Amino acid sequence: MTLKTKTALVTGSTSGIGLAIARALAAEGANVVLNGFGDATAIEETRAGIESAYGVKVHYSSADMSKPEAINAMVREAEGAFGSVDVLVNNAGIQFVSPIEDFPADKWEQIIAINLSSAFHTMHAAIPGMKARGWGRIINTASAHSLVASPFKSAYVAAKHGIAGLSKAAALELAPHKITVNCISPGYVWTPLVESQIPDTMKARGLTKEQVIEDVMLKAQPTKEFVTVDQVAALAVFLCSDAASQITGANISMDGGWTAQ
Ligand code: NAD
């Protein structure tokens, strides 16, 4: 239990990678602030479930990561409820796929706001408290797309490259304060969202499940295996440990070899 007495705020943690990170940090003893959208009853079940499974306190914030005032209020709320935000995980993210000339301008703005600017605003609000306590961990869920591009994902690739740069600048600023800032850059992660796309792709392309996984989804991933949410969460937990105190400004790939090519 390395994180007892600490508080972790994980944006976009009502599903997928963020939820796995929130659970893993709770398992280490951290109080947790969940954030994200979804069905209110399901979110409450998740919140209460983490509390009872790990004996920690869990608060939920519905703050919209595209709204700077809401982000600021969420951080203040977290500090009010638990006294601090010690671990900040910027994870909320959305995707939109389109050629640039057809890319709706409002989608561009939304992706930059949620996938990139939200991390500036959470840091802006949470860093003073971390500095005052002389300890902090900031972990940004980037992507293989923070290092390489794919066509038709211009806003996502720009935002993810941006968050990699933001993390490096923040790491340099915060190095004297025992606050580390790192990116985790997953390749294709097995989430319900990914799994649910398989039957349609099988039908549309006349492929078997294995062909969809290996030749379509994992084309760029040499291991031909998905990353799991628990693997990403385990790395986040490690980055919070004392053993990781000298890892800062790093962009750690977990992509089955994708970006080694
Ligand atoms: P997901 O759709 O399961 O989760 C996204 C979370 O963000 C949800 O909780 C959702 O409610 C929340 N969210 C979306 N818009 C929001 C907003 N405006 N305000 C607050 N919360 C909002 O997706 P995921 O696959 O778990 O993705 C999480 C992160 O991991 C994203 O940043 C994504 O870019 C990154 N990532 C995912 C993969 C993958 O293959 N799944 C790979 C690399 C990186």
Side-chain angles (χ1 to χ4, degrees):
M1 298 279 264
T2 54
L3 294 174
K4 247 185 151 43
T5 77
K6 302 275 197 262
T7 298
L9 190 165
V10 186
T11 72
S13 50
T14 50
S15 87
I17 294 169
L19 179 54
I21 292 175
R23 278 189 205 286
L25 296 175
E28 293 298 317
N31 290 325
V32 168
V33 179
L34 292 176
N35 158 257
F37 300 149
D39 174 70
T41 311
I43 292 172
E44 174 50 25
E45 265 171 32
T46 302
R47 192 202 62 76
I50 297 175
E51 275 197 341
S52 64
Y54 304 111
V56 297
K57 293 211 166 60
V58 182
H59 179 81
Y60 165 67
S61 163
S62 62
D64 182 340
M65 291 302 103
S66 67
K67 305 258 176 347
E69 324 76 59
I71 294 170
N72 199 43
M74 172 183 72
V75 172
R76 297 284 92 86
E77 215 176 286
E79 289 175 333
F82 297 134
S84 64
V85 172
D86 308 290
V87 177
L88 169 63
V89 183
N90 291 302
N91 171 82
I94 59 165
Q95 176 63 283
F96 192 80
V97 180
S98 163
I100 293 170
E101 66 272 28
D102 299 328
F103 213 98
D106 61 338
K107 270 286 165 206
W108 167 274
E109 300 292 347
Q110 195 189 10
I111 290 179
I112 298 298
I114 296 169
N115 296 18
L116 173 58
S117 301
S118 71
F120 164 78
H121 295 296
T122 55
M123 286 199 258
H124 185 76
I127 284 170
M130 289 181 179
K131 276 189 176 175
R133 287 180 296 279
W135 193 92
R137 293 286 188 267
I138 300 173
I139 300 167
N140 298 323
T141 309
S143 164
H145 284 117
S146 74
L147 296 161
V148 297
S150 297
F152 314 122
K153 296 183 176 175
S154 54
Y156 187 87
V157 170
K160 294 297 185 182
H161 276 64
I163 203 154
L166 171 63
S167 304
K168 287 192 214 174
L172 297 180
E173 287 183 28
L174 298 172
H177 301 278
K178 300 196 185 305
I179 301 167
T180 67
V181 188
N182 294 289
C183 285
I184 298 177
S185 282
Y188 240 104
V189 184
W190 186 255
T191 61
L193 205 86
V194 167
E195 192 177 1
S196 67
Q197 290 168 25
I198 292 177
D200 280 349
T201 313
M202 285 169 66
K203 217 182 287 170
R205 298 190 182 223
L207 299 174
T208 64
K209 184 177 176 184
E210 289 67 33
Q211 285 170 325
V212 170
I213 290 174
E214 290 195 16
D215 302 337
V216 180
M217 294 185 153
L218 297 180
K219 208 170 165 204
Q221 210 148 297
T223 56
K224 299 297 176 205
E225 287 180 29
F226 288 93
V227 178
T228 70
V229 293
D230 291 335
Q231 289 171 332
V232 178
L235 180 52
V237 167
F238 176 70
L239 287 172
C240 292
S241 70
D242 289 340
S245 70
Q246 296 307 307
I247 302 178
T248 195
N251 187 351
I252 304 174
S253 292
M254 187 182 271
D255 63 8
W258 177 347
T259 54
Q261 297 170 96

